Amino acid sequence: MSAPLQLAMAVANSNAANVYVRYASMLVGRDKACRLGQYFSRLMVYLITERMKTQGKTTSSVEWLSTFVKMQGVLGTTRKLMRAGKFFDFLQLFVRALLSKGEDELVQALGALHKAGMFVFMAADTLGVLGTSMAVVRLRDPARIGRIAQRGWLLALACQALSAAYRLRNIAMREADLRRVRQHVEKTADVMGDRECAVEEQMMRRNKAQAVRELVSSALDLTIPIKGLGLLNINEGVVALAGTITSLMGIQDTLAKACGAI
């Protein structure tokens, strides 16, 4: 067997190749990759535009600007087409959230509102792409549909951020209680109690990291609908950078799932 063929077989059977295949087969994985390209293109459009304001237009800058503008538009439309019809998933999740009985009513209510907001966002987004990109339906005011989608996304992100902040508060209170329990366990030399404390501390660290990550991601993403609805005059570069960062976070999360499935 030739060396190039051996190398090709080794690459194809490697763990990296398996992770890539698993990642690419996930719809959320492809969406996050497109999202990264979309917001990175938006960031580059902002940076090139700002540079042209100070240093003037050049043939190279105009060509790069046109490239990134097209890339942003194409990837944005691609993502809309990929998630078309996904609103039904969030409708199911919303109904299940209403019927489920959780330990904390506030977290449950915020979770249900998050699903409701995502349902509105996805439904309006699907209607918008059917009326604009595909021209299947005729929309009297496509911009209004877009604003409805942005409001739904804003509600979902706000509820997600509030839920994460509330859970962090509860974790901090539980940590304070656990420290007191830990002091008592150390004084009494309770081996079983020490093990139980260690297990709960590990679980709380994991929950805290997850809540912090969720809060940061939601807070960064909130800049996008806030800017889109004109509620605050946020710098375009800040919005594009926030979207790029949360896209990378999403890719990291999806890669972790892909690696776990190998």
Side-chain angles (χ1 to χ4, degrees), residues 107 110-111 113-114 153-169 210-223:
V107 173
L110 289 172
L113 284 173
H114 170 262
W153 192 25
L154 179 63
L155 172 63
L157 290 172
C159 290
Q160 192 172 46
L162 288 173
S163 178
Y166 178 72
R167 283 185 281 120
L168 283 173
R169 170 185 170 275
Q210 182 182 357
V212 168
R213 188 177 182 85
E214 189 175 301
L215 178 60
V216 171
S217 177
S218 300
L220 289 173
D221 274 340
L222 272 169
T223 61

Side-chain angles (χ1 to χ4, degrees), residues 120-135:
V120 172
F121 169 57
M122 291 293 181
D125 192 62
T126 299
L127 183 60
V129 76
L130 289 176
T132 55
S133 301
M134 302 179 68

Side-chain angles (χ1 to χ4, degrees), residues 231-247:
L231 301 177
L232 289 175
N233 186 23
I234 303 176
N235 183 274
E236 175 66 16
V238 172
V239 175
L241 181 60
T244 302
I245 292 172
T246 54
S247 298

Side-chain angles (χ1 to χ4, degrees), residues 166-217:
Y166 178 72
R167 283 185 281 120
L168 283 173
R169 170 185 170 275
N170 290 344
I171 291 172
M173 294 172 63
R174 180 55 187 156
E175 283 177 336
D177 293 337
L178 193 59
R179 280 193 294 269
R180 289 191 289 269
V181 173
R182 168 69 75 177
Q183 291 174 357
H184 175 73
V185 167
E186 290 176 352
K187 289 179 181 179
T188 58
D190 186 353
V191 177
M192 292 299 296
D194 184 67
R195 291 177 180 175
E196 291 176 0
C197 287
V199 171
E200 188 165 357
E201 285 172 349
Q202 184 179 7
M203 183 179 65
M204 281 198 300
R205 282 195 295 269
R206 184 168 57 249
N207 292 340
K208 185 176 183 179
Q210 182 182 357
V212 168
R213 188 177 182 85
E214 189 175 301
L215 178 60
V216 171
S217 177

